[in-house]
Each structure stands twice: as C-alpha cells, then as structure tokens.
Amino acid sequence: MGHNHGHHHHHSGETINAELKKIYVCVILLNTLFVMFEAWMGLRSDALSLVSDAGHKLIDVLSLGLTLLAFILSSSTSGRRFTFGYRKLTVIISLLNALFVLAVSGSIIFESIEKLMDPEALAPDADAISITAAVGIVVNAVSVTLLSYKRRHDVNTRGAFLHMLTDCLLSIGVVIAGFVIKWTGFVQLDPIMSICIAGFIIANILSVLVESFRMSIDGVPEGVDPDKLKSEMLGVDGVREIHNVHIWPLSTTETALTAEVVVSEGADRDAVCDAIKSKIAGYGISDSTIETRKPRE
C-alpha cells in the first residue's frame, strides 16, 4: 500500500505580519509621544488624573509592544525543539491582552463607582483635561484607523483595536463631560460615562477572549467551518473518503491542516493533492499536509 505526502505553504500570513509590524510601530511611536505630552500636562497643571491616565496609556504602549514582539516571533524559523518556531506565542499574547483589556475595563468601572459615591472629591482642572483629551482623541482615532485595516486578519489586532477604541471613546467622553460639567456643575456625569463606555468594551472584548482561548488550546480558528471544508474536499475529483482531518492555528494569522485522503483507483495522487490544497487555500490555511492512499481491498 503506497502513501503520498503533500505539503503546502502560503506566504499570505507573512505578508499580513509584515504589514501589521509597520502599523504597530507607527501606533506605538504615536502613543509614546502622547504619554509624554499627557504626563507633562498633568505635572504642569497639577492634574493628578492626567498623570494617572498617562500611566494607564504607558501600560497600553507596553501591551502593544508585546504584540509587536509576538509578530516578530511569529516569523521565527523552526528548530530542533520548536518545529513551528515561536508563532504560537501570538495566540498566548492575544489571550493575555484580552484579559488585560478586561481587567482595565473592570478597574475603570470600579473607580467610577467610587467617584459616584464621593462626588465632592471630583475637582478636575477642566481646561488642562479638555485640551489633553482633545489631543488624545486625535491620537487614538489615528491608532484605531491604522489598526482597523488588518483587525479582521488577526485576533491580536482586534484586541488592540478595541483597546485603542476604548481610549478614544473615553477621551470623547471626557471632552463632552468637561463641557457639561463646566456649564451645569453635574460632576457625576464623568464616572457615569466611564461606566457605560467600559461596559461596552467588556461586551466586545469577550468575543476576542473566547476566540483567543479556543486558539490557545488548538481549536479550529474563527471563520473555518470544518464540515463545509471537508465537504469541499470530498467534492474533488478522485477523492473517495477523508479521514483524520485536523485543523489548528499556527499563529493568530496562520492555520494548519492535516488529513488522510482515500483516492480512487487510477487517480493521480499529486493532482488530487493539488486540487485539495487549492480548495482549502480559500479558508486561509497556509500550511497543509495531505496523506493519500488507495482504498483498502
């Protein structure tokens, strides 16, 4: 009984990673400059809230740096001990980032509730905060726009996109709240808006968290329907049966597949493998190994 092994690899994942690296470098540099500006404004105007938020943004920058590191590692070559390189670290970092966003959103809600219980403690420097928040809107809007281009291709980028969107919405909320508070004196509006925005982010980040966890335990990535994929493979001329189909993520942008295919008598095994690989390429599968054999007598 003969066996034929076909191996297939696309470079689309590498192209996406190269583009993502450039985007992350731009976003990191932009947000680092804003952290420096916000800290300076906070110290200059004795606005502790700005200094505190600058610390929060610094953590955001470090989180983005970890994600960039994940993409650099995802391009690593295989070795004797790590035959897939370090690409799986992108999934682990995605999971950590999702947990981090969840924790930050939770802390925002907790702090906002504390402010609601003690509104007299709210005495912000309206001008300094409004100016800084306005700059923050621009910085975060640019960051969100850059990340939005590739967020559908990578769960890490979806998490970073939501993180930057959180900051953008918070900045908009601060500006609106600043005007309303200045004209009405309703200081409770600031924590109320923060709770609403944080709740919105938590509702969205949960899907990223679930997907990251599934990928971390080698679950089938989002967007790949195993039943439909197997059906298309069975539709290839010369294919009689398909067994032992395994689909798992190599990284947040690359998917692998292995399968055992029973071919018809007289079928060209190489042609069958090529046809199957052509089918599964449409599912974003960049690495595949197809084992073919004749039907058992």
Side-chain angles (χ1 to χ4, degrees), residues 10 61 72 88 124 133 137 154 178 191 193 198 209 220 228 259 264 285:
H10 280 302
V61 172
I72 293 173
K88 199 55 173 285
I137 291 173
D154 173 54
M193 291 194 68
L209 180 63
V220 178
K228 185 177 179 182
S264 303
I285 295 174

Side-chain angles (χ1 to χ4, degrees), residues 153-165:
H153 296 282
D154 173 54
V155 68
N156 253 321
T157 304
R158 284 199 290 280
F161 170 82
L162 288 171
H163 204 153
M164 291 294 103
L165 181 61

Side-chain angles (χ1 to χ4, degrees), residues 95 98-99 102 155 204-214:
L95 180 60
L99 290 170
L102 194 63
V155 68
N204 283 274
I205 199 63
L206 286 177
S207 62
V208 175
L209 180 63
V210 170
E211 183 178 353
S212 298
F213 176 74
R214 182 176 64 247

Side-chain angles (χ1 to χ4, degrees), residues 28-250:
I28 289 171
L29 289 176
L30 186 61
N31 281 272
T32 299
L33 291 174
F34 178 69
V35 167
M36 296 169 65
F37 169 73
E38 186 173 35
W40 176 75
M41 285 292 287
L43 294 172
R44 179 174 173 271
S45 60
D46 292 324
L48 294 178
S49 62
L50 291 181
V51 176
S52 176
D53 188 61
H56 163 66
K57 289 291 293 183
L58 179 60
I59 295 175
D60 291 352
V61 172
L62 293 176
S63 178
L64 290 169
L66 283 175
T67 304
L68 177 60
L69 175 62
F71 287 125
I72 293 173
L73 292 174
S74 71
S75 302
S76 62
T77 57
S78 60
R80 187 170 65 89
R81 293 287 185 181
F82 300 94
T83 56
F84 283 111
Y86 301 100
R87 288 178 282 180
K88 199 55 173 285
L89 280 175
T90 59
V91 176
I92 296 173
I93 289 177
S94 169
L95 180 60
L96 292 176
N97 276 339
L99 290 170
F100 176 73
V101 173
L102 194 63
V104 169
S105 299
S107 68
I108 290 172
I109 292 177
F110 181 76
E111 291 176 8
S112 297
I113 292 174
E114 284 190 329
K115 289 180 180 180
L116 280 173
M117 296 175 65
D118 188 20
E120 293 182 0
L122 295 172
D125 184 332
D127 293 334
I129 291 178
S130 295
I131 291 173
T132 305
V135 175
I137 291 173
V138 175
V139 171
N140 289 316
V142 172
S143 299
V144 167
T145 301
L146 289 172
L147 292 170
S148 69
Y149 292 137
K150 296 296 178 182
R151 72 180 190 277
R152 293 183 178 179
H153 296 282
D154 173 54
V155 68
N156 253 321
T157 304
R158 284 199 290 280
F161 170 82
L162 288 171
H163 204 153
M164 291 294 103
L165 181 61
T166 305
D167 292 335
C168 187
L169 292 174
L170 285 172
S171 296
I172 293 173
V174 168
V175 171
I176 295 174
F179 280 112
V180 174
I181 291 170
K182 187 172 183 179
W183 290 103
T184 68
F186 183 55
V187 294
Q188 292 92 336
L189 180 61
D190 181 32
I192 290 174
M193 291 194 68
S194 295
I195 291 173
C196 292
I197 293 170
F200 168 78
I201 296 302
I202 288 175
N204 283 274
I205 199 63
L206 286 177
S207 62
V208 175
L209 180 63
V210 170
E211 183 178 353
S212 298
F213 176 74
R214 182 176 64 247
M215 294 176 73
S216 70
I217 58 175
D218 287 340
V220 178
E222 188 77 20
V224 178
D225 185 337
D227 293 331
K228 185 177 179 182
L229 180 61
K230 186 175 179 180
S231 177
E232 291 199 19
M233 292 170 67
L234 283 169
V236 172
D237 290 338
V239 174
R240 290 186 56 174
E241 301 173 27
I242 295 180
H243 304 288
N244 300 320
V245 177
H246 299 285
I247 308 167
W248 74 98
L250 292 175

